[in-house]
Amino acid sequence: MTDIPPGAPAWVDLVTTDLSGAARFYAPLFGWAVAEVDRQPAADGHLVFHQQGKPVAGAGLGAGPQRPPAWMPYLATDDAEGACQRVTAAGGRILTEPFDVPGSRRTALFADPAGAPFGVWQSLGMPGAEVFDVPGSLTWPELTTREPDRAKEFYGSVFGWTADDQPMGPITYTTWQLDGRPVAGMMPMIGDDWGDLPSHWMLYFAVTDTDRVVAEALRTGATLAVQPTDLTRGRFAVLTDPQGALFSIIGTTPRAGAGVA
């Protein structure tokens, strides 16, 4: 994949407290190769992971008391400065002003009105990830938010997304559409089960065997946040990595013989 339209997911990045520890955890879990360490000053020792010989995700330092470890999506843009203007006009905040990693990208970091962080990615030679929807790559970004109505206004204004709402049990699930194509989802944080977890983006990585990956992740220091569960799309689980970042995995099909929600 080399042509990512503005507003579509372009990249995923892990902000962590332990870069080498994150590499030791994720590389064998997803079959990633640690392809390079970007030591340009703007990149701050940023790791790039490859899947099938192609860039698929990154990781960098920067987590701390005010910024816990987390996975974060980057959305494609052809104008990072214009994205800054749209974000602030729609009620979001700029966390990091646009900066260049020469030969790669121009990026900026934001928080939406509910505080969920995300970035934009303007290609300066690297369009973003080159593989999606295969085992060991991003298959679905999902905004998990306490303010779904404000999110619809915000992301529609900034990226031109439209909301396709569908009932899912007691809640309404939103599929974000860009030019008629689904690009992300939104889960409202309703009820007491969420505790004090802030609004955030949840990233789903494709796997071939959800239960096997869960077992391996637990063996190497992860904790289980949501046990493997069958859905129509596949079997998913939510994990917390050894440094504290949440992420989800989903297999291509539910477990054989299991009921499908």
Side-chain angles (χ1 to χ4, degrees), residues 35-95:
E36 62 184 83
V37 179
D38 193 340
R39 297 197 180 279
Q40 299 182 66
D44 192 25
H46 186 264
L47 293 181
V48 176
F49 297 111
H50 277 205
Q51 175 64 270
Q52 302 178 359
K54 299 177 180 179
V56 69
L61 295 172
Q66 303 303 316
R67 188 182 182 188
W71 279 98
M72 184 169 58
Y74 283 72
L75 306 172
T77 184
D78 52 13
D79 180 4
E81 279 71 18
C84 288
Q85 294 173 5
R86 294 192 301 275
V87 163
T88 54
R93 294 183 292 117
I94 299 173
L95 301 179

Side-chain angles (χ1 to χ4, degrees), residues 74-198:
Y74 283 72
L75 306 172
T77 184
D78 52 13
D79 180 4
E81 279 71 18
C84 288
Q85 294 173 5
R86 294 192 301 275
V87 163
T88 54
R93 294 183 292 117
I94 299 173
L95 301 179
T96 303
E97 295 284 349
F99 65 91
D100 292 350
V101 179
S104 176
R105 72 271 188 191
R106 182 166 177 78
T107 63
L109 301 180
F110 308 104
D112 72 14
F118 68 95
V120 293
W121 182 288
Q122 180 181 348
S123 175
L124 298 178
M126 182 179 175
E130 294 184 15
V131 60
F132 295 89
D133 302 321
V134 301
S137 69
L138 177 70
T139 191
W140 191 243
E142 184 177 87
L143 176 65
T144 308
T145 183
R146 298 183 182 276
E147 300 185 23
D149 291 336
R150 290 190 71 188
K152 291 177 186 178
E153 296 178 4
F154 176 80
Y155 289 97
S157 175
V158 176
F159 296 110
W161 290 357
T162 57
D164 178 16
D165 293 336
Q166 297 292 332
M168 190 173 77
I171 67 166
T172 297
Y173 188 84
T174 298
T175 299
W176 300 108
Q177 304 270 351
L178 177 66
D179 297 328
R181 183 172 71 91
V183 292
M186 181 172 68
M187 175 74 73
M189 299 174 76
I190 297 173
D192 298 330
D193 292 343
W194 298 100
D196 59 357
L197 190 67

Side-chain angles (χ1 to χ4, degrees), residues 29-30 133-139 204-214 234-237 239 247-253:
L29 191 70
F30 289 143
D133 302 321
V134 301
S137 69
L138 177 70
T139 191
Y204 287 74
F205 295 93
V207 297
T208 55
D209 185 333
T210 299
D211 294 88
R212 181 191 63 78
V213 174
V214 165
R235 186 165 173 82
F236 90 104
L239 293 152
F247 67 100
S248 291
I249 57 173
I250 187 164
T252 53
T253 58

